[in-house]
Amino acid sequence: MELKRLQYFVALAANGNFTKTADQLNIAQSALSVSMQKLEKEIGLKLINRTNRQIQLTSDGMRLLFHARRILEDVALAEIEMDELKGLERGKIDFGVSAMLGSYFFPEALAAFTETYPNIRIHIQEHGTATLEKMLLEGALDLAFVRTDHPLEQLRYVALCPEEIVACVNKSHPFAQRSEVSLEQFCQQPLILFRDGYLLREAISRYCRNNNITPDIRYETNLIELVKALLKKDIGISTCLRRIIHDNEPLVCVPFSPPIKVEFGIGWKSSHYLSNAARAFLKFMEDWHKTNR
C-alpha cells in the first residue's frame, strides 16, 4: 500500500471534492482519480461513493481513513525522530492558538523565543479551543495554547497562567458602577459576542441553553478590536479577559458572580513525539510565564 495513495485519500476525505483536492495536491484530477481507483483495487473494497462533484466515504472507507491518518502521523513522527537521532534538528513547530489569545499572551514571549532560538520556525494556526484540541488529537498540531482546567484524557498539559472571564462594558453603562454582575443580568442586555466554539462565548451559551433564554445578540465576531470598538460606541456589552482591556480605554471589566475562572497552558497529544524544537519551545514558554507573571 503506497503512502502517497493514502495521503491522497486522506486529503480527498477532508475536501470531499476531486477538483479541490487535485488543486491542493498540485496534481491532475485524472491522476487523483486513477490513484483512488488503484487504492480500491489494491484493497478490494469500495471506499468512495461518487455523486456529481462531491464524494462520500463508504463505511469501509471510513475505517481506512481512521487507519490512514494514524499511519501517516506515525510516519511523520518517525521521520522527525530519525532525523534527530542523526543529530539534525527539524527546527519547525506547528503551534495552534486562538487569534485573541495569541495577540495578548504571546507577542513578547515569541519575540524572546526567537532571540534565543533564531533557527526554529513556528507555523501558527488560529482557531477556537475546541478546534485546536481536535487538531492536536488528529496530529495536525505539535502544540497548542488551550484551556488546561478542562483536560482531555489523550492530551498532556503544562499550565501557564490562570485567568478570569469578566463582563466588559462601556464606562457609561450602569454595570460599570457594580462590583459584580450575574449571568442572568448579563444575558438580559444587548450582547456583542464571540462565535460559538470560542472560550469567551461558552459560559454565555451554556447558561442560555440551560435556562431557555434567547439572548439579544447584536453582533457576533471573533475580531477583538471590533468588539472593543463596538463596546466603546455603547452598542452592547460583551465578555473578555482582563488583560485585553487597557487602562486608557473607556471600558470597564466587571466580575461575574459567581466568578468564571479559567486556566491556560500548552497542550499536546500524549502519544505525539515532540521534536527537540517543540520541547525547547515548551520549556521556554513555561520558564518565561513563570518569570513574567
Side-chain angles (χ1 to χ4, degrees):
M1 191 181 301
E2 293 185 10
L3 286 177
K4 184 165 288 187
R5 288 177 188 166
L6 290 182
Q7 291 170 342
Y8 290 176
F9 177 71
V10 170
L12 181 61
N15 291 318
N17 179 279
F18 272 92
T19 302
K20 183 178 179 181
T21 304
D23 289 343
Q24 183 185 84
L25 297 171
N26 198 27
I27 61 173
Q29 184 174 334
S30 58
L32 176 61
S33 181
V34 169
S35 182
M36 293 301 95
Q37 289 170 10
K38 288 182 177 179
L39 180 62
E40 288 182 320
K41 184 176 180 180
E42 180 182 15
I43 294 176
L45 295 168
K46 184 174 178 59
L47 305 174
I48 301 167
N49 285 322
R50 298 163 176 82
T51 57
N52 297 325
R53 296 183 180 180
Q54 297 299 311
I55 67 100
Q56 287 186 330
L57 298 187
T58 64
S59 59
D60 294 329
M62 291 299 296
R63 289 303 302 164
L64 178 63
L65 179 63
F66 171 79
H67 291 292
R69 284 173 171 165
R70 293 183 62 180
I71 291 168
L72 294 175
E73 181 182 352
D74 286 343
V75 169
L77 296 178
E79 289 175 348
I80 295 172
E81 189 168 356
M82 293 305 102
D83 280 347
E84 293 189 344
L85 288 174
K86 292 184 292 186
L88 301 175
E89 186 175 89
R90 186 178 176 86
K92 178 178 177 293
I93 303 166
D94 286 309
F95 179 60
V97 65
S98 76
M100 183 198 70
L101 295 179
S103 298
Y104 287 91
F105 282 80
F106 279 96
E108 292 183 13
L110 290 175
F113 179 80
T114 299
E115 287 183 10
T116 307
Y117 298 95
N119 295 322
I120 294 179
R121 294 179 295 119
I122 302 176
H123 177 217
I124 298 176
Q125 298 192 50
E126 302 88 9
H127 298 282
T129 297
T131 300
L132 292 175
E133 290 176 335
K134 183 173 182 289
M135 293 176 73
L136 285 174
L137 294 174
E138 292 176 349
L141 294 172
D142 298 311
L143 303 166
F145 191 64
V146 293
R147 290 185 69 171
T148 59
D149 52 335
H150 289 169
L152 298 181
E153 185 177 346
Q154 293 174 272
L155 300 182
R156 295 180 62 190
Y157 304 89
V158 168
L160 297 180
C161 41
E163 287 289 336
E164 182 179 359
I165 296 176
V166 296
C168 187
V169 304
N170 189 290
K171 65 179 182 181
S172 65
H173 193 280
F175 284 0
Q177 307 304 316
R178 296 190 180 189
S179 59
E180 59 185 31
V181 62
S182 69
L183 279 172
E184 179 183 10
Q185 293 165 334
F186 178 90
C187 291
Q188 292 172 353
Q189 298 290 313
L191 302 177
I192 303 163
L193 297 178
F194 273 63
R195 295 192 180 97
D196 275 324
Y198 281 76
L199 173 72
L200 293 178
R201 176 70 176 268
E202 287 179 2
I204 306 306
S205 295
R206 184 167 55 250
Y207 180 85
C208 290
R209 284 195 304 271
N210 292 342
N211 292 276
N212 295 318
I213 294 174
T214 301
D216 179 11
I217 302 175
R218 301 295 174 91
Y219 289 92
E220 285 184 301
T221 176
N222 293 338
L223 302 175
I224 187 59
E225 292 304 319
L226 177 57
V227 171
K228 290 165 71 172
L230 294 171
L231 290 171
K232 290 172 185 177
K233 297 291 186 182
D234 205 13
I235 292 173
I237 65 176
S238 188
T239 55
C240 72
L241 301 174
R242 286 185 180 276
R243 72 170 59 200
I244 74 174
I245 304 301
H246 303 300
D247 292 338
N248 61 348
E249 294 183 297
L251 302 175
V252 177
C253 293
V254 185
F256 283 106
S257 176
I260 304 177
K261 302 288 186 178
V262 293
E263 186 176 66
F264 297 107
I266 295 178
W268 67 98
K269 188 177 180 180
S270 303
S271 60
H272 188 85
Y273 175 79
L274 290 183
S275 66
N276 287 340
R279 288 195 293 269
F281 182 83
L282 188 62
K283 181 66 166 59
F284 184 92
M285 290 301 159
E286 187 175 12
D287 292 343
W288 193 91
H289 277 86
K290 285 180 181 177
T291 304
N292 293 274
R293 279 181 180 172

